[in-house]
Amino acid sequence: MDSDALDTFLTVHRRGGISNAAKALHRSQPAISRRIALLEQELGVPLFERIAGRTMLSDAGRVMVPYAERAVAAAQDAENAVRALAQSNSGPVALAVVGTLAGGRLSAILKRFAAEHPAVELSLRTATSAEVSDLIRRGEATIGLRYDRDRSRDLDCDLLFAERLQVVCALDHPRAGRRVARLADLRAERWIAFPLVPGRREITASHVFALFQTHGLGEVDWTPVDSLTAQKRLVEAGLGIALLSESNAAEELQHGSIATIGVRDLKASHDVVTVTRRGGFLSAASRRLLEIVRGEYGAAETSPSLRAKRSNPDFLR
């Protein structure tokens, strides 16, 4: 069993069949079929089944996936480590980021890194927090930025900062720019939040509901919207209120298109963390990008102006 066979197996699984895998790997369909057949013969069990015209993992295939991912990622680590001996300041660096974190601060980080490492091929992918972890685990991304820690033993998560959450509303909302004593005062509002996808917990989707349950307030009326931009446009239109992080609402608040509602008993934040594969190889360029990310976020969060702003009792207004 070699890494090429495992990579072929994973590609068939991820692409949903032999035909799509052949296109992705630039090989013929018969070649892919033979590779899978040889792997199944070696293991003595089928890895795929045809169900209703679709190629699906068998029970053995589902067991095989996480081990195959680790093996393929380790093989890629070995190749990268050897290549790094000859070219310490070049090669690919793949960054995976939750879409809502891909703002101005990240742009500054990427610009600085590109200036320092012009020979490095830097790629960026956006995904949900769970997907960022999966990309790192599979070796398809080198460094990840996501919300909250992943408890997987395959990953290392380091805290960058805890970003405060705030309630935002339309400018003409009766409570715009004002304070309420309790979160319970907003129970009758219609909330706008990311949808909850079965089998895939997205951190930002669950904050609103967890907060109300923690305060013993039960469920709330809400509208699921899977786009942050769309959420803010609906808030601007007065179709609901939302719980957004400071960075996600900063531009609209600066331009005066939305307002905040201060909530005295609301102390909500979510952690932003870096994710790397535990024991995985990081090139010199990858380690430098990680240093820049930690430095930029750390400097912003500990700046005197931000500390003073947060100590102001009218901060949320």
Side-chain angles (χ1 to χ4, degrees):
M1 187 186 309
D2 56 37
S3 62
D4 178 70
L6 296 177
D7 185 49
T8 301
F9 160 71
L10 290 173
T11 305
V12 172
H13 161 51
R14 293 168 186 162
R15 299 284 178 166
I18 299 292
S19 177
N20 290 336
K23 294 177 183 177
L25 295 173
H26 306 290
R27 291 157 66 182
S28 67
Q29 292 187 38
I32 299 296
S33 296
R34 282 196 302 273
R35 203 71 188 88
I36 295 299
L38 288 172
L39 181 59
E40 291 177 328
Q41 181 179 344
E42 182 179 354
L43 293 170
V45 292
L47 297 174
F48 294 99
E49 300 173 346
R50 294 288 293 178
I51 300 177
R54 299 176 60 192
T55 300
M56 308 290 289
L57 288 171
S58 66
D59 289 343
R62 282 189 288 273
V63 170
M64 182 80 164
V65 167
Y67 297 98
E69 289 178 341
R70 294 189 192 103
V72 170
Q76 186 63 54
D77 279 347
E79 180 180 344
N80 291 341
V82 172
R83 291 183 184 278
L85 293 175
Q87 297 177 317
S88 61
N89 195 32
S90 63
V93 176
L95 182 64
V97 181
V98 172
T100 51
L101 290 172
R105 190 181 302 179
L106 182 62
S107 297
I109 290 170
L110 298 181
K111 183 177 181 179
R112 178 179 171 186
F113 178 80
E116 291 185 12
H117 299 80
V120 172
E121 179 187 343
L122 176 64
S123 62
L124 174 67
R125 295 179 63 172
T126 58
T128 66
S129 290
E131 290 166 347
V132 166
S133 289
D134 288 341
L135 289 169
I136 298 296
R137 189 179 292 108
R138 298 198 299 257
E140 295 182 30
T142 315
I143 300 168
L145 285 177
R146 59 163 282 167
Y147 293 115
D148 289 355
R149 297 177 185 274
D150 189 309
R151 304 300 176 183
S152 170
R153 291 178 294 177
D154 294 336
L155 303 175
D156 286 323
C157 295
D158 294 319
L159 177 67
L160 287 175
F161 66 97
E163 186 171 34
R164 190 171 182 172
L165 300 172
Q166 57 193 349
V167 179
V168 297
C169 64
L171 293 177
D172 59 357
H173 190 282
R175 292 191 169 103
R178 304 178 65 182
R179 283 181 175 272
V180 296
R182 303 171 302 154
L183 184 64
D185 296 329
L186 301 177
R187 184 179 182 181
E189 299 281 351
R190 172 161 288 275
W191 291 79
I192 297 169
F194 284 99
L196 295 172
V197 180
R200 190 189 74 191
R201 178 178 177 262
E202 180 55 23
I203 301 301
T204 53
S206 60
H207 271 301
V208 172
F209 319 111
L211 279 172
F212 274 87
Q213 291 171 3
T214 299
H215 284 73
L217 302 174
E219 296 184 357
V220 295
D221 291 330
W222 69 291
T223 300
V225 180
D226 62 3
S227 162
L228 174 63
T229 300
Q231 287 184 17
K232 292 188 285 189
R233 299 297 85 82
L234 291 175
V235 169
E236 290 174 354
L239 299 179
I241 64 176
L243 185 70
L244 301 181
S245 66
E246 294 170 350
S247 61
N248 289 341
E251 184 176 349
E252 285 76 15
L253 289 171
Q254 182 179 1
H255 293 155
S257 59
I258 62 175
T260 58
I261 301 174
V263 183
R264 294 190 185 280
D265 70 346
L266 176 62
K267 293 180 174 62
S269 65
H270 50 199
D271 292 343
V272 177
V273 302
T274 59
V275 187
T276 54
R277 192 155 42 84
R278 184 165 296 173
F281 172 75
L282 289 178
S283 66
S286 297
R287 293 195 300 272
R288 178 55 183 153
L289 177 58
L290 202 52
E291 288 176 2
I292 294 173
V293 168
R294 290 169 176 164
E296 290 286 338
Y297 278 101
E301 289 305 304
T302 58
S303 66
S305 61
L306 183 55
R307 289 201 305 269
K309 184 178 179 183
R310 283 185 170 165
S311 65
N312 186 336
D314 293 326
F315 173 57
L316 281 178
R317 299 187 63 169

